[in-house]
Amino acid sequence: MAETMARLHPLAAVKTVADAHLLAQGPMGRFSLRLAANAAPAPLGALGLSLPLAPCRAAQSETAAALWLGPGEWLLLTAPERASAVEAALRAELAGQAFSLVEISHRQTGLSLSGPRAAQRLNAGCPLDLDLASFPVGMCTRTVFAKAEIVLWRTGVEAFHIEVWRSFVPYLWELLVIVGAETS
Amino acid sequence: MLLITCPFCGPRPELEFGYAGEAHVVRAQDPREVSDLQWTEYLYQRSNVRGVHAERWRHAHGCAQFFNALRDTTTDHFVATYRIGEPRPDAAVEAGR
Ligand SMILES: [Zn+2]
């Protein structure tokens, strides 16, 4: 008899309750896009945006976000129900040039961290300078939080989006909860 | 914390980087054409500099790119960082002294 496994959120078994500033996000459509680093792609209709070419910068449209992770490497985020349509449209738009588009929706999970102490909380595990002058709104990068690799994106003066690989989610979550209690 | 200037991302904490050995070690175009001694030197002989050393680093937990750096092995001071393919910036060595 065929059975379908239910996909659980990586925090499904974690009992630690966070404060109002730390939120685990639900499903999201994600892609890793690689292009030749010197290719200057035209605006992508599939995403409604132009890929950011400046290092460590994100671009956002109403339906998608593109985060520069390295030369010729972007993380694309969309609503989960749009993922397959976005993928098909992107493949059509990029046809004819060398590219790699890999769906990674379930590889990682999004957390959002906000509040006046958000940067201080992140700095408990992340060695980046998160002052607004050196890490402004719209900046994004791969970095580390304690022993976990994360993608950090500043979406507001006091708001961050964090992407972390699925098996690291409980670890990151528990640490951010502890740090939140200590800095409040 | 020691900051290393990634040629793509700018100054970043050392924790994000990985060391990747001496830079500018050139592999023979056709290894069949070189002697065993030359090949052994390519594989195993390193300069082991005391002072300014050209070496490869990788911004592993950042942009993931390899780049080259000039670092003083006696002080751990990074004199310069530069992209793969660019010449060794020895002017920076003089300026950094
Ligand atoms: Zn970098």
Side-chain angles (χ1 to χ4, degrees):
Chain A
M1 193 178 78
E3 286 186 68
T4 309
M5 302 281 278
R7 190 181 298 281
L8 293 177
H9 193 279
L11 288 172
V14 174
K15 299 283 186 285
T16 317
V17 180
D19 55 283
H21 293 310
L22 177 62
L23 292 171
Q25 300 188 342
M28 194 179 279
R30 298 178 174 86
F31 296 92
S32 169
L33 172 65
R34 308 295 300 258
L35 289 171
N38 55 1
L44 293 170
L47 303 172
L49 52 76
S50 296
L51 293 173
L53 295 177
C56 305
R57 287 296 181 276
Q60 224 179 336
S61 69
E62 284 187 3
T63 55
L67 281 65
W68 185 101
L69 294 187
E73 181 187 0
W74 292 269
L75 170 66
L76 310 178
L77 304 174
T78 69
E81 64 276 7
R82 287 182 44 86
S84 51
V86 164
E87 179 175 11
L90 264 178
R91 286 195 187 283
E93 273 190 83
L94 296 171
Q97 58 179 307
F99 73 96
S100 151
L101 183 67
V102 180
E103 209 236 286
I104 52 167
S105 298
H106 304 298
R107 184 182 74 175
Q108 55 210 46
T109 295
L111 304 179
S112 61
L113 183 67
S114 60
R117 294 186 187 273
Q120 187 186 353
R121 238 167 131 171
L122 281 165
N123 274 146
C126 174
L128 284 181
D129 180 358
L130 296 179
D131 188 272
L132 257 184
S134 35
F135 204 99
V137 177
M139 184 163 172
C140 62
T141 183
R142 221 178 344 236
T143 183
V144 289
F145 187 95
K147 297 290 182 187
E149 182 176 283
I150 61 170
V151 170
L152 184 64
W153 174 22
R154 188 172 218 146
T155 52
V157 173
E158 294 181 351
F160 295 87
H161 177 91
I162 303 165
E163 290 277 318
V164 59
W165 285 20
R166 186 181 165 89
S167 58
F168 284 96
V169 174
Y171 170 78
L172 189 68
W173 178 265
E174 302 267 12
L175 272 177
L176 284 171
V177 170
I178 292 168
V179 171
E182 288 177 351
T183 53
S184 63
Chain B
M1 181 172 291
L2 176 63
L3 296 179
I4 300 175
T5 302
C6 170
F8 298 93
C9 307
R12 301 282 290 245
E14 180 191 9
L15 273 180
E16 294 180 350
F17 294 85
Y19 177 73
E22 184 168 358
H24 308 298
V25 177
V26 180
R27 186 182 194 272
Q29 283 289 339
D30 186 352
R32 291 170 303 182
E33 297 293 314
V34 302
S35 70
D36 285 353
L37 182 62
Q38 286 170 310
W39 188 245
T40 303
E41 282 176 355
Y42 159 72
L43 286 179
Y44 302 115
Q45 294 297 321
R46 295 295 178 261
S47 58
N48 197 23
V49 171
R50 177 182 167 90
V52 177
H53 185 228
E55 53 199 21
R56 299 188 305 168
W57 284 78
R58 182 171 179 241
H59 194 188
H61 299 298
C63 63
Q65 300 297 299
F66 281 91
F67 60 92
N68 290 333
L70 295 180
R71 182 178 63 94
D72 192 319
T73 57
T74 59
T75 59
D76 213 14
H77 171 65
F78 278 75
V79 180
T81 53
Y82 52 107
R83 295 186 185 194
I84 298 286
E86 291 176 357
R88 180 182 161 135
D90 280 291
V93 179
E94 299 309 318
R97 280 202 170 139

